[in-house]
Amino acid sequence: MNEKIAQYRAKIAGFWNAMEKKQKIWLGASVGILILTIVLLTYLFSRVSYEVAFQDLDSTDAAAVMEYLDTNKISYKLADAGQTIMVPAANAAKVKVEAGSQGLVRNGTIGFDQFNDSGSMFGPTDRIMDIQYRNALNGEIQKLLNVMQGVKSSNVLVNLPEETAFMTTEEKEEASASITMTFRPGYRPEQKEVDGYYNLVKTAIPHIKAENITISSPEGVLPSSNIGGNGLGSELLDEHYQIQRKFENDLKQKVQAMLVPMVGMKNLVVTVSSSFNFDKKKSDQSLVSPLENNNNNGIILSEKENSKTATGGTGGSGGVAGTGETDVPGYQATDATSGGSSEENNRETNYDYNKILNTIESAPYVIKDLSISVGVEKSALSAEAKTEMNNFLSTIIRSQLAESGQDVNNDALIQKKISIMASTFVDNGGATSSAILSTGWLTAIGVAALAIIGGLGYMVVRRRRQAALVQEMAETPGKVEYPTIDLENVTNENQVRKQLETLAKRKPEEFVNLLRTWLVDE
């Protein structure tokens, strides 16, 4: 055994000594890169990829999941202070299904499934049963809210009135619910979703009114649209917000489409701010006008004429001569007069005119005010370009504020609504370029490693073939004919050198003896 090892060591040493310095350097570098590549590939292929299986866990649920994983000898990692548990990607789906079937993750809630647990052999008391029922109801409502879109966690407290047979309907307390909800970062519930929370709680709790439900979040109270009308979180407000945002985005795109060819996308930042009037006005008009070509008169509906004549006769003074009891002394009595006549004519005409009823309803979306701010890279903004931008933005603002009631012909007022800033932008492309550079370097290193491995393999195969040929020639020396050196017939020095190198490589002992002979002769 030791002899074989010594033979192998001698062969390796002979192979190493027969190589030139450059070959030794290339072979060492190739072996080093090959070893490094093998280590990296082994690390990449043997590395376990972990996947998030549970997140936002409380301490109780995290402990239950960890106990299950330890029992089944499944590796895991903890993150986010124990609120997130990661398992190998190959076992993630299985762990989720089994943990769900066993009810390990409850999000800190206790539902009606607690009544399935075995308790006292005599059963719980009424007081304990009441407490368990309230806790279970709180837990079930919390579970329903936690599965809603964007909800991170929730806490529910339900207050159920005590029912007694001696209380009237008016004296009975009403049920109430207090709920706090935490949403995931960046999520903003719409009004219809908030109304869905109220309806869910209302149908889950018996004998509860909507006004007795309070739902709040860290940002404030979430009111229902059925309580307090169209308040701050109403659906109408969301609609108005979307309309205003859409208008600003559309106008921003139009401004960018005009200015980007002038300065470039990387050298431009546009911000649009607007104010809308969402008041909806409705007015009724009742107009009456005469007919055309009719002396400003209408159509005659009816006409009525009345004529009356009266004639009076002659007569003397009345009464008996003398002074009576009712006469006034010294008052001159009237003489007899002749009769008179009178005539009366009356004409009544009824006309009908054109009647126009107009119902005017103004659009509820009127722009009250508008401002546009543009930031441009200092090196890309010239005085002429700034003037052109200012004229373009002034035209846009005048056209948009035409119905706002402001004096759009006032240049000073329009200029207050335009802001063009020239500044030096911060280069945010460093991370991207470095990432691209890193990827390129990695690709180049990989290609170089493959090339070196291929070259190393070729060299090893070639060396093995040469070693096998030398061994074969050594085993059969009678069949090998070494070239003779005829210095008299050889005229080319290169041929002599090649023959000497061949002799030195194939039979170094004879080469040494030849050199000694030449030295002795000289």
Side-chain angles (χ1 to χ4, degrees):
M1 185 67 182
N2 294 330
E3 294 179 357
K4 291 184 177 180
I5 295 175
Q7 291 179 359
Y8 285 128
R9 292 179 60 184
K11 289 181 180 180
I12 294 173
F15 175 74
W16 179 261
N17 294 329
M19 297 176 61
E20 297 181 357
K21 185 177 180 181
K22 292 183 179 180
Q23 293 177 342
K24 292 180 180 180
I25 293 174
W26 276 103
L27 180 60
S30 302
V31 172
I33 294 175
L34 179 62
I35 295 174
L36 180 61
T37 304
I38 293 174
V39 172
L40 291 176
L41 293 177
T42 304
Y43 171 74
L44 292 176
F45 287 106
S46 62
R47 184 180 58 179
V48 180
S49 178
Y50 284 85
E51 179 181 342
V52 176
F54 307 97
Q55 58 183 358
D56 298 331
L57 298 176
D58 57 7
S59 58
T60 305
D61 294 341
V65 173
M66 291 170 59
E67 182 180 359
Y68 162 75
L69 296 175
D70 292 334
T71 303
N72 292 271
K73 297 181 180 180
I74 300 175
S75 61
Y76 61 89
K77 290 183 179 181
L78 299 179
D80 299 335
Q83 295 182 355
T84 302
I85 298 179
M86 298 181 292
V87 298
N91 301 329
K94 179 181 177 182
V95 170
K96 291 179 183 179
V97 173
E98 292 185 356
S101 62
Q102 297 179 16
L104 299 179
V105 181
R106 298 183 177 182
N107 293 325
T109 61
I110 301 176
F112 285 111
D113 51 1
Q114 68 169 336
F115 294 103
N116 297 329
D117 300 335
S118 59
S120 174
M121 60 180 299
F122 300 104
T125 62
D126 293 341
R127 183 63 176 172
I128 296 177
M129 190 69 179
D130 183 44
I131 295 175
Q132 290 181 348
Y133 176 77
R134 294 191 181 191
N135 292 336
L137 184 60
N138 294 339
E140 291 295 332
I141 297 175
Q142 185 174 345
K143 289 180 181 179
L144 294 175
L145 292 175
N146 288 343
V147 299
M148 303 297 287
Q149 181 181 3
V151 178
K152 182 178 180 181
S153 62
S154 62
N155 291 321
V156 180
L157 178 60
V158 178
N159 182 22
L160 298 177
E162 296 183 1
E163 296 183 0
T164 60
F166 303 100
M167 297 178 65
T168 62
T169 305
E170 291 77 9
E171 294 175 345
K172 288 183 179 180
E173 296 180 359
E174 296 179 349
S176 60
S178 300
I179 301 172
T180 59
M181 302 180 66
T182 302
F183 299 95
R184 301 190 183 278
Y187 183 79
R188 180 174 178 265
E190 298 181 357
Q191 185 60 40
K192 59 182 180 181
E193 295 176 337
V194 176
D195 294 339
Y197 304 153
Y198 278 89
N199 293 333
L200 187 148
V201 177
K202 184 178 179 181
T203 54
I205 303 175
H207 309 297
I208 189 173
K209 296 181 180 180
E211 55 266 21
N212 293 334
I213 302 174
T214 302
I215 301 178
S216 60
S217 66
E219 289 78 16
V221 179
L222 301 176
S224 173
S225 59
N226 298 326
I227 303 174
N230 295 327
L232 184 62
S234 64
E235 186 175 358
L236 184 61
L237 182 60
D238 292 336
E239 181 182 355
H240 292 172
Y241 174 76
Q242 293 177 3
I243 293 173
Q244 182 176 359
R245 187 174 182 180
K246 185 178 184 303
F247 168 78
E248 293 177 353
N249 290 335
D250 292 344
L251 187 58
K252 178 180 178 181
Q253 292 178 1
K254 292 180 181 179
V255 174
Q256 288 178 342
M258 183 64 185
L259 300 183
V260 164
M262 299 173 59
V263 297
M265 177 61 74
K266 296 182 179 180
N267 301 326
L268 180 67
V269 177
V270 179
T271 301
V272 177
S273 300
S274 63
S275 177
F276 272 71
N277 182 8
F278 293 99
D279 295 337
K280 190 175 182 179
K281 297 180 180 180
K282 183 178 181 181
S283 60
D284 296 332
Q285 292 182 345
S286 181
L287 304 177
V288 178
S289 62
L291 297 178
E292 297 180 358
N293 301 323
N294 195 21
N295 294 327
N296 290 331
N297 293 325
I299 301 174
I300 298 176
L301 293 179
S302 63
E303 188 174 12
K304 183 179 179 182
E305 293 185 4
N306 293 324
S307 179
K308 192 175 185 181
T309 303
T311 303
T314 60
S317 59
V320 181
T323 302
E325 295 180 358
T326 59
D327 296 334
V328 178
Y331 186 79
Q332 185 176 359
T334 58
D335 296 333
T337 58
S338 60
S341 62
S342 64
E343 183 178 357
E344 181 180 356
N345 294 322
N346 185 15
R347 184 176 182 179
E348 182 179 351
T349 304
N350 295 323
Y351 295 94
D352 190 12
Y353 296 90
N354 289 335
K355 297 179 180 179
I356 303 174
L357 298 177
N358 294 329
T359 300
I360 302 175
E361 186 173 350
S362 60
Y365 313 127
V366 179
I367 303 176
K368 294 172 56 179
D369 203 354
L370 178 66
S371 64
I372 302 177
S373 300
V374 178
V376 186
E377 174 67 29
K378 184 182 296 184
S379 59
L381 183 63
S382 61
E384 182 180 356
K386 185 175 182 180
T387 303
E388 293 178 356
M389 288 182 186
N390 186 61
N391 296 335
F392 170 69
L393 297 178
S394 301
T395 304
I396 290 181
I397 291 180
R398 284 191 173 95
S399 63
Q400 296 295 334
L401 296 180
E403 302 295 333
S404 64
Q406 301 186 35
D407 186 9
V408 295
N409 296 322
N410 189 346
D411 293 337
L413 178 64
I414 298 300
Q415 292 301 319
K416 292 181 180 179
K417 305 179 185 300
I418 300 174
S419 176
I420 300 177
M421 298 172 289
S423 179
T424 302
F425 286 8
V426 178
D427 186 10
N428 295 326
T432 304
S433 61
S434 62
I436 296 175
L437 184 62
S438 300
T439 305
W441 275 106
L442 290 175
T443 305
I445 291 173
V447 173
L450 292 176
I452 293 174
I453 292 173
L456 180 61
Y458 173 75
M459 291 177 62
V460 171
V461 172
R462 183 179 178 183
R463 292 296 180 182
R464 286 182 179 179
R465 289 180 179 177
Q466 291 181 355
L469 181 60
V470 171
Q471 185 176 1
E472 183 181 357
M473 294 173 62
E475 292 176 355
T476 58
K479 298 181 180 180
V480 180
E481 296 182 358
Y482 298 100
T484 58
I485 302 176
D486 190 0
L487 298 178
E488 296 178 356
N489 298 326
V490 176
T491 58
N492 192 352
E493 295 181 358
N494 292 331
Q495 294 181 0
V496 175
R497 183 179 300 173
K498 290 181 180 180
Q499 291 180 4
L500 290 174
E501 290 176 356
T502 303
L503 181 62
K505 290 180 181 180
R506 294 185 177 181
K507 207 163 185 178
E509 295 178 358
E510 294 183 2
F511 179 76
V512 172
N513 294 330
L514 179 62
L515 290 178
R516 290 177 180 176
T517 304
W518 287 349
L519 292 174
V520 171
D521 294 338
E522 291 179 357

